Amino acid sequence: MWMLITRRILAAILTISFLSLFVFSFLYLVPGDPAERILQARMNGELPSSRETVGVLKHDMGLDVPSYVLYLKWTEGVLHGDLGYSYITRRPAATILYESLQATAELVFVSISIVVIFGLSLGMLAAWKEDSRIDNLLSYLAILGVSIPSYVIAFVSILVFAVGLHILPVAGRSGMQSMLMPAVSLSIGGLAMLMRMTRYDMLAEMRQDYVLAAKAKGLSEARIFIKHIFRNSLPPLITYIGLELGGLFSGAVIIENVFAWPGIGRLLVDSVQSGDVPMVQACVLLIGVIFICINIIVDILYTYIDPRIKPEGIL
Amino acid sequence: MRSRIFKVLKEKAHDNKKIIMGFTIIAIMVFIALFAPLIAPHNPESIDLTNRVAAPTQEYPLGTDHLGRCQMSMLVFGLRISLVIAATILFVRVILGATLGLIAGYFGGSLDQLISRIIDFELVFPDMVLALVLVGTLGPGLPNLMLALSIVGWSKYARIIRSTVISVKEKGFIESARALGVSETYIMQRHILPNSITPLIPVMTLGLGGLLLSVSGLSFIGLGVEPGTPELGMMIKSGFEVFPSHPQLVLVPSLMIIACVTGFTLLGDGLSDLFDPRKSSSFIASCL
Amino acid sequence: MNYKGLWDGSPQLSKIASRNVMLVQLVLALFLGSLLVGVCAGEDSVLKMASPWEPKSLDPVVYSLNIEIAEPLLSVDSEGKLSPKLAKSWDVSEDGLTWTFHLRDDVKFHDGTPFTADAAKASLERTFRKSAEYSSVKTFPIESVKAADKYTLIITTSRPFAPLAGYLSKDATDILAASSLNDKDEVIKPVGTGPFKFDSWVPKESMTAVRFDDYWGTKAKMEKVIFQCVPEEKTRESMLRAGDADIIGTLSPALSLKLAKDPDFTIYTQKEMGRVRHILFNTNKQPLDDVRVRKAISMAVDRDLICKSLLEGVDETAAAPFSPDLYWANKNLEMPSFDPEKAKALLEEASWTDTDNDGIREKDGKKLEIALFTYTSRPELPSIAEALKDQLGKVGIKIKITILDNSAVMEQAKGGKVDMYLVSINALLNRDPDTWASYFTPASYYYDCMNYAPEDVVSLIQKGRETMDTEKRKEIYDQLQEKILEDAPVAYLTYYSGISATRSNVHGYELSLIGEHHLENVYKE
């Protein structure tokens, strides 16, 4: 097992270095002068009128060298634990990243909790009451939940709960209240998906022969349902929850913009648009590391839940 | 025993209902998109600065936007554009994923190891992050958006193909074909590909729904299509600017997206149940 | 639901299960908490402002602080001319090399230390050393900064350089006390002289400032100001409606129109000094090498309609770089008016005629097709481009719109592919008409888009830089405006107005000519 984890980590390091090289070269290969874009972002879309000034600014920021030199410098920094400085704000990238990551982690944590708790329990309810009115209602709601764009939920909830009813703050990050709308808008899609999957998996499991055997043995239905059926249908659900974390990160990009949530999604949008290469690199690097860790954790969880499965990547 | 068979039958009927509903919705949407020029009352691009943000009239069933363009026409063409974008991206993703999956599954060994690691990474890494980096750098616009979303999100297809290929390979007939000196490409074409398509179809259907949401989401934060292009996410965004005085400008495009995604979800669900009811959840897991 | 029951019999898993139970509790607590706490009422002494601009740094050299925490030596008056701020007055020596600033003697920094020429010298020297950002001082011929006495500051230059003063009214030259800096020359806490004192900063989120009771001017009325960064306009609007914000900034004309109809809100618009939307013409490529075609285009554009419709009547039409209420405007210019017939006649005269009746003019078998470029970081530009396409189409000019990032357009321009470039540029960015004039030199960043820098223009520009007397400079720039109007390397379209909205119980708000939010006189009822 430890061997495997080591191997996975080595592979991960390789993947991440490729990713960083790819992102970096991409940022420098696009048409237009990257240094000009950075200057423009720093000056709110304006540029100094003379070329001489642009040249001096480039020199001051150390951008007048070939891009591979910039990449080598950056790599050297990372190896020494230095993620560099944001071109725009001149603050250390690691600091900015830390601030934003906190905000996003809070949001994603609450969202994934909502997804897991409500997704699993509603899915179990639907499977338990298969074909009942509540099952039907839940399955329609689930399809609706998967189909509504998160930003529509976000704006409608702002209009209802903040502007109309005045019970929640519109935006910003100020305690638990301000978390509610972004977290719910972010989690509806994943929740609906997980609920559908739980129902499916449990129904499939319920048709296994051992269920009949257990019934014949006189075990109570609730006990069979929870102890055997639910547990046996867990592995794919855990995989999905692992993947859903990625989905929540993707969704956070949009939701954070709507709710002015100072997280990594907004940081990324801003940095990409302003050509803040060190910031983009730092974000991608960090997100890469996070998700490789999640991947490995999911694998380990797997072996705990079902020792028959050998951890060999996801699924 | 009898009751169980009855139950399975009932289930099948239920699935068919899903397929029928999903198919009907999609058929209507595709019809609208295909015949957009005939359905749209106006050219969606023609602007009229003297008739801006007008209320619905007979001539302009949904009113006009801030440039005086017919909203109804923009919506119809918007649906067309959104569907075409989603379908194109899906196509590229499937080709990319299938190629990698095929190579990994067929040749196995260290090549498989390498590709599998890449697949795993792509699968867990948030699609939007990489797409955002690409489209943000290249700037908004249709080709850039399609490029950005095409090079992510292919891993599920690669994974499905890879596992199908491995399971097909284990069946004896490939070995014997190879022993008979049949070429590798021929084996791939004749035996492996056809077997892989079936499990792909439901996943692709569900994937289309997810793509519609991603595309509109990117447009919504200003990193999708160029401003002014009729695209559903963009239209919802500009609709919110005049909300709630002109609620139809938010409601109609939103309903359009919801209907499309619902249609694809129902269809994909139904299909995956039909093809392999046991595996349905892992299919869903790899979609959206 | 009893989660524990799911897991019994498996010791490792019960650990996870107990964590799960904690999750349930947490989420329940979240929901209940949000219901119980309810709304906390906004205090009347706290002012909340939301804007898309993020307070990106505590260092004014890097990025504007957005709230008036620190102040520069000079300011601008309602005509856009430089006016006193921390300097009571200033003069330049005969040879134009020595600038003397007479500073106020009644100013205190937020840390209680007095504002003196020495403090100003230290702060400015740091700015000149650090500031590459806003308009690199490194290209300025600055020789020395000296404190002649306690309240007299002297700056010497190696050659006459009139635009220097304008630069001293910009945020980047805000005067900071020595206690703002750490030993690495970084700002850890901006200690300035403004009406508000820095309190706290949450990066990407907000900046908070409190009233400075020893302010030299009129003291602020609000005790506390919170400046919040909210990128999405619809969210800002919702905040205003819900009362989460008292003032919201940088609104679209459409939203301002909508809010204006509501008695709960007050709209403030203010033309931003010098910002003008215009088209740059490539003057050395057919068909725009012909001044008649350029003038025809300028005449075929219905600026009034664009302003009234697209821009909701908020922005005003422009025919010259400086709006008539600014000091630097040449008020004697005869502005081009909307005249499609005359435009058509001019095109005919330049022998562009529609021979095959397809609605597009031709000359020597070549169609009158023009590539128009613009960018999206100013969201109204693509819409204006669409309107231009529509209007120019009516006189037989076919426009092809390409939307790219600014620096990508420059790359295209180097290859000569850009015929027209629709931009929104601040022609008084450095608070000096030289910002505008320098677009017409070969050293201009935009040179490749225009290829316009005739010798007489360049020498006038040079003369403008070396002339110190304001009235004489005005004559030079008047002449230059006349020349540009005649040669038409650009067509000015509209000015730009900043728009803010407040709740109607908020009074005394002022949006300045340079887009600053003046919050010092604001009070709430």
Side-chain angles (χ1 to χ4, degrees), chain A residues 10-196:
Chain A
L10 284 178
I13 291 172
L14 200 70
T15 323
I16 287 189
S17 6
F18 272 122
L19 189 73
S20 84
L21 188 63
F22 173 75
V23 171
F24 193 90
S25 46
F26 189 81
L27 288 168
Y28 276 92
L29 283 178
V30 293
D33 186 329
E36 278 168 18
R37 187 160 44 209
I38 292 155
L39 296 176
Q40 221 173 354
R42 258 179 140 161
M43 298 174 61
N44 279 343
E46 210 72 47
L47 265 177
S49 48
S50 95
R51 268 195 212 137
E52 188 195 1
T53 314
V54 175
V56 170
L57 296 185
K58 272 190 208 169
H59 178 77
D60 281 359
M61 295 175 70
L63 293 170
D64 54 350
V65 292
S67 48
Y68 70 89
V69 177
L70 286 175
Y71 183 71
L72 289 179
K73 268 193 201 158
W74 180 80
T75 320
E76 199 196 334
V78 171
L79 291 178
H80 289 98
D82 175 13
L83 287 172
Y85 283 78
S86 156
Y87 284 156
I88 310 295
T89 65
R90 295 263 169 155
R91 301 175 64 226
T95 315
I96 302 177
L97 210 56
Y98 174 72
E99 293 157 357
S100 308
L101 186 67
Q102 268 188 324
T104 300
E106 259 174 37
L107 185 63
V108 168
F109 177 75
V110 174
S111 303
I112 197 82
S113 310
I114 296 177
V115 168
V116 169
I117 292 167
F118 289 93
L120 284 183
S121 47
L122 289 177
M124 283 168 78
L125 180 69
W128 179 252
K129 302 256 177 199
E130 194 197 350
D131 282 339
S132 68
R133 213 174 266 167
I134 191 145
D135 179 26
N136 281 335
L137 178 72
L138 281 175
S139 71
Y140 284 119
L141 282 181
I143 287 189
L144 195 67
V146 172
S147 320
I148 300 186
S150 60
Y151 49 88
V152 173
I153 302 179
F155 272 134
V156 171
S157 57
I158 287 182
L159 291 176
V160 174
F161 295 106
V163 179
L165 299 173
H166 286 284
I167 51 173
L168 291 172
V170 176
R173 178 170 169 237
S174 50
M176 287 300 189
Q177 284 172 303
S178 64
M179 169 86 79
L180 209 60
M181 283 198 294
V184 170
S185 337
L186 190 55
S187 50
I188 293 283
L191 190 161
M193 211 64 200
L194 184 65
M195 179 179 123
R196 277 154 43 89

Side-chain angles (χ1 to χ4, degrees), chain C residues 190-441:
Chain C
V191 178
T193 57
F196 292 102
K197 199 159 90 177
F198 172 78
D199 181 65
S200 64
W201 174 50
V202 189
K204 293 220 153 271
E205 254 187 277
S206 62
M207 192 178 278
T208 308
V210 294
R211 178 169 62 205
F212 178 45
D213 290 320
D214 281 337
Y215 184 54
W216 59 272
T218 325
K219 288 168 191 58
K221 297 191 171 62
M222 302 302 291
E223 261 166 39
K224 194 173 178 183
V225 174
I226 302 171
F227 187 96
Q228 233 184 318
C229 161
V230 181
E232 195 68 52
E233 184 184 64
K234 181 73 191 170
T235 311
R236 289 200 297 281
E237 181 203 341
S238 300
M239 289 176 79
L240 186 75
R241 287 187 187 275
D244 286 5
D246 299 307
I247 305 175
I248 54 174
T250 319
L251 308 181
S252 66
L255 178 59
S256 80
L257 210 67
K258 191 167 110 188
L259 290 175
K261 286 180 194 147
D262 197 326
D264 289 345
F265 312 112
T266 316
I267 300 290
Y268 293 81
T269 56
Q270 170 67 53
K271 226 181 287 161
E272 183 182 322
M273 179 176 101
R275 183 168 297 282
V276 59
R277 302 186 181 101
H278 53 283
I279 312 171
L280 311 179
F281 293 119
N282 186 349
T283 60
N284 74 352
K285 192 183 155 210
Q286 211 202 19
L288 295 172
D289 54 349
D290 189 334
V291 68
R292 288 171 296 190
V293 178
R294 302 200 293 266
K295 285 197 166 161
I297 290 175
S298 184
M299 277 175 206
V301 176
D302 189 350
R303 296 170 173 82
D304 214 37
L305 183 60
I306 291 179
C307 286
K308 287 219 173 83
S309 59
L310 266 182
L311 305 168
E312 310 286 354
V314 171
D315 294 336
E316 287 166 29
T317 61
F322 310 120
S323 63
D325 43 359
L326 292 179
Y327 174 75
W328 298 107
N330 181 345
K331 281 139 192 137
N332 302 321
L333 291 183
E334 207 181 302
M335 305 300 179
S337 53
F338 173 53
D339 193 343
E341 290 316 312
K342 208 169 158 197
K344 282 180 199 163
L346 265 177
L347 287 171
E348 296 284 339
E349 195 188 310
S351 55
W352 288 97
T353 41
D354 187 7
T355 43
D356 56 3
N357 282 321
D358 63 347
I360 305 164
R361 291 169 188 276
E362 296 91 15
K363 179 180 179 178
D364 308 329
K366 244 187 97 189
K367 295 227 176 274
L368 186 46
E369 283 180 341
I370 291 175
L372 171 66
F373 284 70
T374 192
Y375 51 94
T376 53
S377 58
R378 300 236 161 223
E380 72 284 2
L381 291 181
S383 295
I384 294 180
E386 289 288 339
L388 290 177
K389 180 181 172 181
D390 181 51
Q391 294 178 353
L392 294 177
K394 286 177 184 153
V395 294
I397 302 172
K398 193 178 175 192
I399 299 288
K400 189 182 167 290
I401 301 175
T402 311
I403 297 172
L404 283 176
D405 179 53
N406 192 350
S407 64
V409 176
M410 286 305 145
E411 195 125 307
Q412 296 282 314
K414 278 182 197 125
K417 293 195 183 104
V418 179
D419 295 328
M420 302 207 297
Y421 188 22
L422 174 64
V423 293
S424 169
I425 291 175
N426 192 327
L428 286 171
L429 185 69
N430 293 335
R431 318 277 157 80
D432 190 280
D434 182 58
T435 315
W436 166 73
S438 55
Y439 284 106
F440 308 107
T441 61

Side-chain angles (χ1 to χ4, degrees), chain C residues 446-467:
Chain C
Y446 292 99
Y447 179 75
D448 291 324
C449 295
M450 292 189 281
N451 294 296
Y452 175 85
E455 262 172 46
D456 50 341
V457 168
V458 174
S459 68
L460 261 183
I461 293 170
Q462 195 53 41
K463 206 171 142 200
R465 282 180 191 159
E466 285 165 6
T467 308

